[in-house]
Amino acid sequence: MIKTLLGLSLKGGDKCRLSIIDYHRITPEKDQYVDSVTQAELDWQCSILKEFFNVLPLEQAVDLLQKGQLPTRSAVITFDDGYANNCALALPVLEKWDLPATFFIASGFLDGGIMWNDAIIEAFRRTDYESLEISAPDSFPEDLIGFYDLSTQKKRVETANKFRLAVKYLDLSRREDVVAALVEIAGVKLPKDIMLTSEQVKEIYVSGMAIGGHTQSHPILTTISVEKAKQQIMDDKEKLQQIIGADINHFAYPNGIPRKDFLPVHTDILQELGYKAAVTTKSGVSSPQTDLYQLPRFSPWDKTTFRYLYRMFMNGLGVYG
Ligand SMILES: [Zn+2]
């Protein structure tokens, strides 16, 4: 009965619809600093996906989508960025439920690196200071200059969010400079185990999962030159191919909002480099008419099975797209 209803929205065959689910980091407990999914939540969501959906590897799903031959209630699972917890916490859950997934990896952070947003979070999480004075106008954007009370976790989280928003769209080197200055002022040593190691990428691949590209250092492509964007995409693809010893054919745009975070020129680069399809962060489902280089993704955030299924159903109707 539930499957029949879901099938009305997430159709198969020539009217087929494909739901692509996106995850980032998976944490052991709820993390106040980030909108993470806990391992227990992932386990519960995988149980729903296993029972009510046909979860396919991305490559197979894209192929069947193009041919108009997807089964009803088709879904794909993806993870972005390359967090170490994807191997430690997500992989065992996927294996438990025997579900395939694709992991899009920003390869420049492998083996001890950290993404700018996590560096900001860890600076505020780990600093021993109860307050910070940001005063050097040459290092920081003007809107971050000021005094920050860090005496409670709530205040630390709010300040970290403010910093993340303020530096998100700065150009790559400016963003790095600002983050480095913050880490220095906060007097913290950044952890080296947040992102995957090359060996773990290989382990994920060998376990039967797919690996996809996500640029080398996760710039928002529209904030850098086309030449730099191409280099970022190419270097990442080559490094990942070297690690797994196979072609990398699928890509996820950093931040992923169409026309804001990437443009047709970036899609052209993907095609030129041999990528076969790419996913965005725009909500919705794909149909056989969807541009293969702009496949939307969606993740229900609900805590009950009914709400989860209802939101997948509504997303299939294009309500959130
Ligand atoms: Zn990302």
Side-chain angles (χ1 to χ4, degrees):
M1 169 68 179
I2 291 173
K3 287 184 183 174
T4 310
L5 276 173
L6 275 173
L8 294 176
S9 151
L10 299 163
K11 297 187 177 80
D14 57 1
K15 293 207 170 24
C16 62
R17 296 287 181 268
L18 175 64
S19 301
I20 307 179
I21 317 272
D22 63 330
Y23 293 104
H24 291 84
R25 48 172 90 62
I26 303 298
T27 50
E29 312 287 339
K30 206 75 199 160
D31 186 340
Q32 301 304 320
Y33 283 85
V34 281
D35 206 10
S36 66
V37 173
T38 66
Q39 189 187 35
E41 286 168 342
L42 178 69
D43 184 62
W44 171 72
Q45 291 174 7
C46 281
S47 75
I48 297 177
L49 290 168
K50 185 77 186 179
E51 183 174 355
F52 296 102
F53 295 86
N54 293 300
V55 180
L56 303 167
L58 178 59
E59 184 158 21
Q60 190 190 353
V62 167
D63 183 46
L64 293 174
L65 177 72
Q66 260 184 308
K67 293 177 181 155
Q69 292 174 0
L70 271 178
T72 55
R73 296 170 282 106
S74 286
V76 161
I77 300 172
T78 67
F79 291 83
D80 282 15
D81 300 332
Y83 285 99
N85 53 48
N86 287 178
C87 185
L89 301 178
L91 188 59
V93 173
L94 294 166
E95 288 182 323
K96 171 185 162 187
W97 293 104
D98 192 23
L99 292 172
T102 296
F103 295 77
F104 295 104
I105 290 163
S107 57
F109 303 110
L110 295 174
D111 304 305
I114 185 166
M115 301 212 316
W116 66 271
N117 50 319
D118 292 309
I120 291 174
I121 288 170
E122 296 310 321
F124 287 109
R125 195 201 307 266
R126 289 163 191 251
T127 186
D128 289 332
Y129 299 122
E130 294 277 294
S131 65
L132 275 189
E133 176 96 48
I134 302 289
S135 59
D138 49 345
S139 300
F140 292 92
E142 201 140 320
D143 52 340
L144 288 179
I145 305 292
F147 176 83
Y148 296 95
D149 177 358
L150 304 176
S151 57
T152 65
Q153 192 196 45
K154 188 165 176 278
K155 284 175 178 154
R156 288 177 182 232
V157 170
E158 281 167 10
T159 311
N161 285 339
K162 179 181 167 134
F163 273 70
R164 283 159 68 194
L165 271 177
V167 305
K168 189 172 192 174
Y169 282 93
L170 293 180
D171 81 53
L172 198 57
S173 65
R174 174 92 172 112
R175 192 165 78 182
E176 278 173 11
D177 289 348
V178 173
V179 173
L182 170 68
V183 170
E184 170 96 28
I185 288 174
V188 296
K189 212 166 174 305
L190 292 174
K192 294 203 174 295
D193 59 354
I194 286 198
M195 308 310 280
L196 291 163
T197 63
S198 300
E199 259 173 49
Q200 287 171 319
V201 173
K202 181 93 194 210
E203 185 187 332
I204 290 172
Y205 176 71
V206 169
S207 77
M209 304 293 159
I211 304 296
H214 197 38
T215 73
Q216 200 207 18
S217 51
H218 209 276
I220 292 177
L221 295 172
T222 48
T223 66
I224 58 175
S225 70
V226 173
E227 293 71 36
K228 278 189 186 156
K230 185 173 178 182
Q231 199 70 47
Q232 279 276 343
I233 297 167
M234 198 163 64
D235 289 352
D236 176 60
K237 191 174 195 286
E238 280 172 5
K239 183 165 177 182
L240 293 172
Q241 287 179 165
Q242 209 177 17
I243 291 171
I244 66 167
D247 281 349
I248 298 285
N249 296 321
H250 301 91
F251 182 81
Y253 301 95
N255 219 45
I257 305 170
R259 291 179 301 282
K260 186 177 183 199
D261 299 333
F262 69 90
L263 298 168
V265 65
H266 302 116
T267 303
D268 293 345
I269 293 171
L270 295 183
Q271 267 174 305
E272 193 189 318
L273 295 176
Y275 272 113
K276 292 180 183 161
V279 294
T280 72
T281 56
K282 185 183 182 294
S283 293
V285 281
S286 302
S287 75
Q289 286 74 43
T290 304
D291 178 354
L292 286 184
Y293 292 86
Q294 294 194 58
L295 300 171
R297 289 188 291 177
F298 180 74
S299 286
W301 53 89
D302 303 279
K303 307 292 181 213
T304 69
T305 304
F306 173 77
R307 293 292 308 176
Y308 187 98
L309 293 173
Y310 173 75
R311 211 174 292 280
M312 286 291 274
F313 176 85
M314 295 303 276
N315 184 52
L317 295 179
V319 170
Y320 308 116

mmCIF file of all heavy atoms in Angstrom, residues 231-271:
data_model
loop_
_atom_site.group_PDB
_atom_site.id
_atom_site.type_symbol
_atom_site.label_atom_id
_atom_site.label_comp_id
_atom_site.label_asym_id
_atom_site.label_seq_id
_atom_site.Cartn_x
_atom_site.Cartn_y
_atom_site.Cartn_z
ATOM 1 N N GLN A 231 41.711 23.395 -13.472
ATOM 2 C CA GLN A 231 42.829 22.753 -12.771
ATOM 3 C C GLN A 231 42.348 22.005 -11.533
ATOM 4 O O GLN A 231 42.753 20.873 -11.267
ATOM 5 C CB GLN A 231 43.838 23.853 -12.360
ATOM 6 C CG GLN A 231 45.218 23.324 -12.054
ATOM 7 C CD GLN A 231 45.941 22.838 -13.307
ATOM 8 O OE1 GLN A 231 45.946 23.530 -14.306
ATOM 9 N NE2 GLN A 231 46.504 21.651 -13.257
ATOM 10 N N GLN A 232 41.470 22.650 -10.758
ATOM 11 C CA GLN A 232 40.896 22.062 -9.545
ATOM 12 C C GLN A 232 40.173 20.754 -9.844
ATOM 13 O O GLN A 232 40.310 19.766 -9.125
ATOM 14 C CB GLN A 232 39.890 23.049 -8.930
ATOM 15 C CG GLN A 232 40.514 24.151 -8.106
ATOM 16 C CD GLN A 232 40.802 23.708 -6.692
ATOM 17 O OE1 GLN A 232 40.264 22.697 -6.214
ATOM 18 N NE2 GLN A 232 41.654 24.425 -6.012
ATOM 19 N N ILE A 233 39.388 20.773 -10.922
ATOM 20 C CA ILE A 233 38.588 19.599 -11.280
ATOM 21 C C ILE A 233 39.487 18.478 -11.812
ATOM 22 O O ILE A 233 39.330 17.301 -11.475
ATOM 23 C CB ILE A 233 37.507 19.995 -12.323
ATOM 24 C CG1 ILE A 233 36.532 21.019 -11.712
ATOM 25 C CG2 ILE A 233 36.744 18.769 -12.826
ATOM 26 C CD1 ILE A 233 35.618 21.701 -12.717
ATOM 27 N N MET A 234 40.482 18.896 -12.619
ATOM 28 C CA MET A 234 41.377 17.920 -13.249
ATOM 29 C C MET A 234 42.299 17.260 -12.226
ATOM 30 O O MET A 234 42.453 16.035 -12.207
ATOM 31 C CB MET A 234 42.198 18.639 -14.316
ATOM 32 C CG MET A 234 42.841 17.736 -15.333
ATOM 33 S SD MET A 234 43.339 18.692 -16.785
ATOM 34 C CE MET A 234 44.564 19.766 -16.067
ATOM 35 N N ASP A 235 42.915 18.081 -11.361
ATOM 36 C CA ASP A 235 43.861 17.539 -10.373
ATOM 37 C C ASP A 235 43.163 16.549 -9.436
ATOM 38 O O ASP A 235 43.726 15.510 -9.067
ATOM 39 C CB ASP A 235 44.480 18.672 -9.537
ATOM 40 C CG ASP A 235 45.457 19.509 -10.363
ATOM 41 O OD1 ASP A 235 45.738 19.106 -11.506
ATOM 42 O OD2 ASP A 235 45.909 20.562 -9.863
ATOM 43 N N ASP A 236 41.954 16.905 -9.052
ATOM 44 C CA ASP A 236 41.170 16.033 -8.150
ATOM 45 C C ASP A 236 40.879 14.700 -8.840
ATOM 46 O O ASP A 236 41.070 13.627 -8.255
ATOM 47 C CB ASP A 236 39.854 16.764 -7.808
ATOM 48 C CG ASP A 236 38.909 15.942 -6.955
ATOM 49 O OD1 ASP A 236 39.306 15.565 -5.844
ATOM 50 O OD2 ASP A 236 37.770 15.699 -7.392
ATOM 51 N N LYS A 237 40.436 14.791 -10.097
ATOM 52 C CA LYS A 237 40.083 13.569 -10.841
ATOM 53 C C LYS A 237 41.304 12.649 -10.966
ATOM 54 O O LYS A 237 41.226 11.447 -10.696
ATOM 55 C CB LYS A 237 39.565 13.954 -12.231
ATOM 56 C CG LYS A 237 38.920 12.826 -13.023
ATOM 57 C CD LYS A 237 38.321 13.397 -14.315
ATOM 58 C CE LYS A 237 37.361 12.432 -14.989
ATOM 59 N NZ LYS A 237 37.996 11.308 -15.656
ATOM 60 N N GLU A 238 42.438 13.262 -11.324
ATOM 61 C CA GLU A 238 43.652 12.455 -11.517
ATOM 62 C C GLU A 238 44.109 11.806 -10.213
ATOM 63 O O GLU A 238 44.486 10.636 -10.191
ATOM 64 C CB GLU A 238 44.767 13.329 -12.099
ATOM 65 C CG GLU A 238 44.588 13.513 -13.600
ATOM 66 C CD GLU A 238 45.557 14.520 -14.204
ATOM 67 O OE1 GLU A 238 46.445 15.011 -13.473
ATOM 68 O OE2 GLU A 238 45.398 14.810 -15.405
ATOM 69 N N LYS A 239 44.056 12.580 -9.124
ATOM 70 C CA LYS A 239 44.512 12.036 -7.842
ATOM 71 C C LYS A 239 43.620 10.878 -7.390
ATOM 72 O O LYS A 239 44.109 9.831 -6.948
ATOM 73 C CB LYS A 239 44.520 13.139 -6.777
ATOM 74 C CG LYS A 239 45.049 12.653 -5.442
ATOM 75 C CD LYS A 239 45.390 13.789 -4.514
ATOM 76 C CE LYS A 239 45.840 13.269 -3.164
ATOM 77 N NZ LYS A 239 46.127 14.339 -2.215
ATOM 78 N N LEU A 240 42.308 11.063 -7.517
ATOM 79 C CA LEU A 240 41.386 10.004 -7.090
ATOM 80 C C LEU A 240 41.543 8.759 -7.957
ATOM 81 O O LEU A 240 41.498 7.627 -7.464
ATOM 82 C CB LEU A 240 39.944 10.517 -7.126
ATOM 83 C CG LEU A 240 39.598 11.611 -6.100
ATOM 84 C CD1 LEU A 240 38.211 12.177 -6.348
ATOM 85 C CD2 LEU A 240 39.698 11.076 -4.669
ATOM 86 N N GLN A 241 41.755 8.983 -9.256
ATOM 87 C CA GLN A 241 41.942 7.836 -10.160
ATOM 88 C C GLN A 241 43.186 7.052 -9.796
ATOM 89 O O GLN A 241 43.207 5.824 -9.850
ATOM 90 C CB GLN A 241 42.004 8.333 -11.617
ATOM 91 C CG GLN A 241 40.635 8.754 -12.103
ATOM 92 C CD GLN A 241 40.602 9.281 -13.533
ATOM 93 O OE1 GLN A 241 39.537 9.389 -14.108
ATOM 94 N NE2 GLN A 241 41.745 9.618 -14.100
ATOM 95 N N GLN A 242 44.218 7.812 -9.402
ATOM 96 C CA GLN A 242 45.470 7.172 -8.993
ATOM 97 C C GLN A 242 45.248 6.336 -7.725
ATOM 98 O O GLN A 242 45.748 5.216 -7.612
ATOM 99 C CB GLN A 242 46.477 8.276 -8.699
ATOM 100 C CG GLN A 242 47.900 7.877 -8.931
ATOM 101 C CD GLN A 242 48.807 9.071 -8.681
ATOM 102 O OE1 GLN A 242 48.415 10.072 -8.050
ATOM 103 N NE2 GLN A 242 50.018 8.986 -9.169
ATOM 104 N N ILE A 243 44.475 6.873 -6.796
ATOM 105 C CA ILE A 243 44.248 6.178 -5.523
ATOM 106 C C ILE A 243 43.467 4.877 -5.733
ATOM 107 O O ILE A 243 43.833 3.828 -5.194
ATOM 108 C CB ILE A 243 43.494 7.086 -4.519
ATOM 109 C CG1 ILE A 243 44.400 8.239 -4.077
ATOM 110 C CG2 ILE A 243 43.023 6.300 -3.293
ATOM 111 C CD1 ILE A 243 43.692 9.317 -3.265
ATOM 112 N N ILE A 244 42.386 4.953 -6.525
ATOM 113 C CA ILE A 244 41.552 3.750 -6.653
ATOM 114 C C ILE A 244 41.936 2.882 -7.852
ATOM 115 O O ILE A 244 41.494 1.742 -7.970
ATOM 116 C CB ILE A 244 40.038 4.082 -6.716
ATOM 117 C CG1 ILE A 244 39.670 4.850 -7.994
ATOM 118 C CG2 ILE A 244 39.593 4.843 -5.469
ATOM 119 C CD1 ILE A 244 38.165 4.922 -8.244
ATOM 120 N N GLY A 245 42.751 3.432 -8.762
ATOM 121 C CA GLY A 245 43.155 2.648 -9.934
ATOM 122 C C GLY A 245 42.012 2.400 -10.900
ATOM 123 O O GLY A 245 41.954 1.351 -11.548
ATOM 124 N N ALA A 246 41.088 3.348 -10.983
ATOM 125 C CA ALA A 246 39.960 3.227 -11.926
ATOM 126 C C ALA A 246 39.482 4.625 -12.288
ATOM 127 O O ALA A 246 39.854 5.604 -11.631
ATOM 128 C CB ALA A 246 38.828 2.425 -11.288
ATOM 129 N N ASP A 247 38.666 4.723 -13.338
ATOM 130 C CA ASP A 247 38.161 6.023 -13.778
ATOM 131 C C ASP A 247 37.182 6.624 -12.780
ATOM 132 O O ASP A 247 36.402 5.907 -12.148
ATOM 133 C CB ASP A 247 37.439 5.886 -15.128
ATOM 134 C CG ASP A 247 38.432 5.815 -16.276
ATOM 135 O OD1 ASP A 247 39.628 6.082 -16.033
ATOM 136 O OD2 ASP A 247 38.003 5.491 -17.391
ATOM 137 N N ILE A 248 37.234 7.929 -12.668
ATOM 138 C CA ILE A 248 36.256 8.680 -11.868
ATOM 139 C C ILE A 248 35.314 9.346 -12.872
ATOM 140 O O ILE A 248 35.738 10.152 -13.700
ATOM 141 C CB ILE A 248 36.969 9.768 -11.026
ATOM 142 C CG1 ILE A 248 37.952 9.142 -10.041
ATOM 143 C CG2 ILE A 248 35.960 10.669 -10.317
ATOM 144 C CD1 ILE A 248 37.353 8.482 -8.833
ATOM 145 N N ASN A 249 34.047 9.003 -12.814
ATOM 146 C CA ASN A 249 33.107 9.439 -13.856
ATOM 147 C C ASN A 249 31.995 10.366 -13.381
ATOM 148 O O ASN A 249 31.218 10.857 -14.202
ATOM 149 C CB ASN A 249 32.455 8.214 -14.511
ATOM 150 C CG ASN A 249 33.480 7.361 -15.238
ATOM 151 O OD1 ASN A 249 34.389 7.905 -15.859
ATOM 152 N ND2 ASN A 249 33.357 6.050 -15.129
ATOM 153 N N HIS A 250 31.894 10.578 -12.071
ATOM 154 C CA HIS A 250 30.793 11.385 -11.553
ATOM 155 C C HIS A 250 31.320 12.477 -10.631
ATOM 156 O O HIS A 250 32.312 12.284 -9.935
ATOM 157 C CB HIS A 250 29.762 10.500 -10.839
ATOM 158 C CG HIS A 250 29.194 9.461 -11.758
ATOM 159 N ND1 HIS A 250 29.747 8.208 -11.898
ATOM 160 C CD2 HIS A 250 28.166 9.521 -12.637
ATOM 161 C CE1 HIS A 250 29.071 7.535 -12.810
ATOM 162 N NE2 HIS A 250 28.107 8.306 -13.276
ATOM 163 N N PHE A 251 30.621 13.603 -10.631
ATOM 164 C CA PHE A 251 31.138 14.801 -9.968
ATOM 165 C C PHE A 251 30.036 15.477 -9.164
ATOM 166 O O PHE A 251 28.866 15.448 -9.548
ATOM 167 C CB PHE A 251 31.643 15.772 -11.044
ATOM 168 C CG PHE A 251 32.256 17.044 -10.534
ATOM 169 C CD1 PHE A 251 33.573 17.072 -10.099
ATOM 170 C CD2 PHE A 251 31.514 18.222 -10.507
ATOM 171 C CE1 PHE A 251 34.139 18.258 -9.630
ATOM 172 C CE2 PHE A 251 32.079 19.412 -10.042
ATOM 173 C CZ PHE A 251 33.401 19.428 -9.609
ATOM 174 N N ALA A 252 30.405 16.094 -8.040
ATOM 175 C CA ALA A 252 29.478 16.926 -7.265
ATOM 176 C C ALA A 252 30.072 18.332 -7.181
ATOM 177 O O ALA A 252 31.234 18.488 -6.795
ATOM 178 C CB ALA A 252 29.280 16.356 -5.864
ATOM 179 N N TYR A 253 29.305 19.340 -7.577
ATOM 180 C CA TYR A 253 29.786 20.726 -7.526
ATOM 181 C C TYR A 253 29.909 21.179 -6.061
ATOM 182 O O TYR A 253 28.949 21.008 -5.298
ATOM 183 C CB TYR A 253 28.802 21.669 -8.231
ATOM 184 C CG TYR A 253 28.551 21.352 -9.677
ATOM 185 C CD1 TYR A 253 27.456 20.571 -10.060
ATOM 186 C CD2 TYR A 253 29.399 21.830 -10.677
ATOM 187 C CE1 TYR A 253 27.212 20.269 -11.390
ATOM 188 C CE2 TYR A 253 29.163 21.534 -12.020
ATOM 189 C CZ TYR A 253 28.065 20.755 -12.363
ATOM 190 O OH TYR A 253 27.831 20.461 -13.681
ATOM 191 N N PRO A 254 31.039 21.809 -5.674
ATOM 192 C CA PRO A 254 31.131 22.350 -4.316
ATOM 193 C C PRO A 254 30.013 23.367 -4.068
ATOM 194 O O PRO A 254 29.764 24.236 -4.907
ATOM 195 C CB PRO A 254 32.497 23.041 -4.305
ATOM 196 C CG PRO A 254 33.282 22.329 -5.348
ATOM 197 C CD PRO A 254 32.299 21.974 -6.420
ATOM 198 N N ASN A 255 29.368 23.223 -2.956
ATOM 199 C CA ASN A 255 28.213 24.055 -2.563
ATOM 200 C C ASN A 255 26.997 23.809 -3.467
ATOM 201 O O ASN A 255 25.870 23.795 -2.987
ATOM 202 C CB ASN A 255 28.588 25.540 -2.500
ATOM 203 C CG ASN A 255 27.934 26.232 -1.327
ATOM 204 O OD1 ASN A 255 27.924 25.702 -0.219
ATOM 205 N ND2 ASN A 255 27.344 27.380 -1.567
ATOM 206 N N GLY A 256 27.224 23.679 -4.764
ATOM 207 C CA GLY A 256 26.247 23.050 -5.661
ATOM 208 C C GLY A 256 24.983 23.758 -6.069
ATOM 209 O O GLY A 256 24.065 23.109 -6.570
ATOM 210 N N ILE A 257 24.890 25.090 -5.873
ATOM 211 C CA ILE A 257 23.660 25.767 -6.295
ATOM 212 C C ILE A 257 23.805 26.219 -7.751
ATOM 213 O O ILE A 257 24.705 26.997 -8.069
ATOM 214 C CB ILE A 257 23.343 26.995 -5.398
ATOM 215 C CG1 ILE A 257 23.281 26.576 -3.927
ATOM 216 C CG2 ILE A 257 22.041 27.667 -5.829
ATOM 217 C CD1 ILE A 257 23.222 27.740 -2.953
ATOM 218 N N PRO A 258 22.931 25.717 -8.643
ATOM 219 C CA PRO A 258 23.046 26.072 -10.069
ATOM 220 C C PRO A 258 22.974 27.581 -10.293
ATOM 221 O O PRO A 258 22.185 28.269 -9.644
ATOM 222 C CB PRO A 258 21.843 25.371 -10.718
ATOM 223 C CG PRO A 258 21.468 24.286 -9.769
ATOM 224 C CD PRO A 258 21.806 24.803 -8.397
ATOM 225 N N ARG A 259 23.808 28.075 -11.198
ATOM 226 C CA ARG A 259 23.879 29.482 -11.614
ATOM 227 C C ARG A 259 24.463 30.396 -10.542
ATOM 228 O O ARG A 259 24.749 31.545 -10.810
ATOM 229 C CB ARG A 259 22.529 30.024 -12.106
ATOM 230 C CG ARG A 259 22.090 29.418 -13.429
ATOM 231 C CD ARG A 259 20.746 29.937 -13.883
ATOM 232 N NE ARG A 259 19.705 29.665 -12.936
ATOM 233 C CZ ARG A 259 19.110 28.472 -12.791
ATOM 234 N NH1 ARG A 259 19.464 27.455 -13.579
ATOM 235 N NH2 ARG A 259 18.175 28.291 -11.895
ATOM 236 N N LYS A 260 24.623 29.890 -9.322
ATOM 237 C CA LYS A 260 25.264 30.689 -8.273
ATOM 238 C C LYS A 260 26.670 30.149 -7.990
ATOM 239 O O LYS A 260 27.634 30.887 -7.936
ATOM 240 C CB LYS A 260 24.419 30.665 -6.994
ATOM 241 C CG LYS A 260 24.947 31.586 -5.918
ATOM 242 C CD LYS A 260 24.062 31.600 -4.690
ATOM 243 C CE LYS A 260 24.600 32.600 -3.687
ATOM 244 N NZ LYS A 260 24.088 32.363 -2.341
ATOM 245 N N ASP A 261 26.740 28.821 -7.799
ATOM 246 C CA ASP A 261 28.016 28.189 -7.444
ATOM 247 C C ASP A 261 28.720 27.548 -8.646
ATOM 248 O O ASP A 261 29.890 27.208 -8.570
ATOM 249 C CB ASP A 261 27.781 27.122 -6.365
ATOM 250 C CG ASP A 261 27.193 27.733 -5.105
ATOM 251 O OD1 ASP A 261 27.447 28.936 -4.854
ATOM 252 O OD2 ASP A 261 26.475 27.022 -4.376
ATOM 253 N N PHE A 262 27.987 27.345 -9.730
ATOM 254 C CA PHE A 262 28.611 26.854 -10.966
ATOM 255 C C PHE A 262 27.781 27.326 -12.150
ATOM 256 O O PHE A 262 26.606 27.655 -12.013
ATOM 257 C CB PHE A 262 28.740 25.325 -10.949
ATOM 258 C CG PHE A 262 27.422 24.594 -11.050
ATOM 259 C CD1 PHE A 262 26.886 24.228 -12.271
ATOM 260 C CD2 PHE A 262 26.707 24.276 -9.900
ATOM 261 C CE1 PHE A 262 25.668 23.561 -12.348
ATOM 262 C CE2 PHE A 262 25.493 23.615 -9.964
ATOM 263 C CZ PHE A 262 24.975 23.250 -11.201
ATOM 264 N N LEU A 263 28.460 27.358 -13.312
ATOM 265 C CA LEU A 263 27.859 27.909 -14.538
ATOM 266 C C LEU A 263 28.023 26.891 -15.673
ATOM 267 O O LEU A 263 28.776 25.916 -15.526
ATOM 268 C CB LEU A 263 28.572 29.215 -14.901
ATOM 269 C CG LEU A 263 28.472 30.345 -13.860
ATOM 270 C CD1 LEU A 263 29.447 31.468 -14.184
ATOM 271 C CD2 LEU A 263 27.030 30.862 -13.768
ATOM 272 N N PRO A 264 27.372 27.143 -16.815
ATOM 273 C CA PRO A 264 27.532 26.215 -17.951
ATOM 274 C C PRO A 264 28.993 25.977 -18.330
ATOM 275 O O PRO A 264 29.354 24.867 -18.750
ATOM 276 C CB PRO A 264 26.769 26.930 -19.075
ATOM 277 C CG PRO A 264 25.713 27.715 -18.371
ATOM 278 C CD PRO A 264 26.337 28.169 -17.080
ATOM 279 N N VAL A 265 29.844 26.991 -18.146
ATOM 280 C CA VAL A 265 31.255 26.814 -18.510
ATOM 281 C C VAL A 265 31.897 25.692 -17.672
ATOM 282 O O VAL A 265 32.762 24.944 -18.158
ATOM 283 C CB VAL A 265 32.038 28.154 -18.355
ATOM 284 C CG1 VAL A 265 32.087 28.605 -16.895
ATOM 285 C CG2 VAL A 265 33.431 28.044 -18.926
ATOM 286 N N HIS A 266 31.463 25.518 -16.431
ATOM 287 C CA HIS A 266 32.011 24.451 -15.577
ATOM 288 C C HIS A 266 31.487 23.085 -15.999
ATOM 289 O O HIS A 266 32.205 22.084 -15.938
ATOM 290 C CB HIS A 266 31.686 24.750 -14.100
ATOM 291 C CG HIS A 266 32.224 26.071 -13.655
ATOM 292 N ND1 HIS A 266 31.412 27.105 -13.252
ATOM 293 C CD2 HIS A 266 33.505 26.537 -13.606
ATOM 294 C CE1 HIS A 266 32.165 28.157 -12.948
ATOM 295 N NE2 HIS A 266 33.429 27.832 -13.149
ATOM 296 N N THR A 267 30.257 23.071 -16.440
ATOM 297 C CA THR A 267 29.687 21.833 -16.966
ATOM 298 C C THR A 267 30.465 21.405 -18.220
ATOM 299 O O THR A 267 30.751 20.218 -18.410
ATOM 300 C CB THR A 267 28.199 22.066 -17.299
ATOM 301 O OG1 THR A 267 27.553 22.507 -16.106
ATOM 302 C CG2 THR A 267 27.535 20.804 -17.781
ATOM 303 N N ASP A 268 30.819 22.406 -19.061
ATOM 304 C CA ASP A 268 31.616 22.105 -20.270
ATOM 305 C C ASP A 268 32.953 21.470 -19.886
ATOM 306 O O ASP A 268 33.419 20.534 -20.546
ATOM 307 C CB ASP A 268 31.887 23.387 -21.073
ATOM 308 C CG ASP A 268 30.605 23.957 -21.678
ATOM 309 O OD1 ASP A 268 29.588 23.225 -21.711
ATOM 310 O OD2 ASP A 268 30.618 25.132 -22.090
ATOM 311 N N ILE A 269 33.567 21.989 -18.814
ATOM 312 C CA ILE A 269 34.856 21.441 -18.365
ATOM 313 C C ILE A 269 34.687 19.969 -17.960
ATOM 314 O O ILE A 269 35.506 19.115 -18.314
ATOM 315 C CB ILE A 269 35.422 22.258 -17.173
ATOM 316 C CG1 ILE A 269 35.799 23.664 -17.635
ATOM 317 C CG2 ILE A 269 36.616 21.556 -16.543
ATOM 318 C CD1 ILE A 269 36.153 24.622 -16.496
ATOM 319 N N LEU A 270 33.617 19.685 -17.224
ATOM 320 C CA LEU A 270 33.372 18.294 -16.785
ATOM 321 C C LEU A 270 33.274 17.368 -17.987
ATOM 322 O O LEU A 270 33.865 16.279 -18.010
ATOM 323 C CB LEU A 270 32.080 18.209 -15.963
ATOM 324 C CG LEU A 270 32.028 18.942 -14.630
ATOM 325 C CD1 LEU A 270 30.698 18.682 -13.939
ATOM 326 C CD2 LEU A 270 33.168 18.496 -13.718
ATOM 327 N N GLN A 271 32.534 17.829 -18.998
ATOM 328 C CA GLN A 271 32.357 17.003 -20.207
ATOM 329 C C GLN A 271 33.687 16.781 -20.910
ATOM 330 O O GLN A 271 34.016 15.670 -21.305
ATOM 331 C CB GLN A 271 31.373 17.694 -21.156
ATOM 332 C CG GLN A 271 29.954 17.218 -20.925
ATOM 333 C CD GLN A 271 28.937 17.973 -21.741
ATOM 334 O OE1 GLN A 271 28.884 19.203 -21.654
ATOM 335 N NE2 GLN A 271 28.151 17.262 -22.511
#
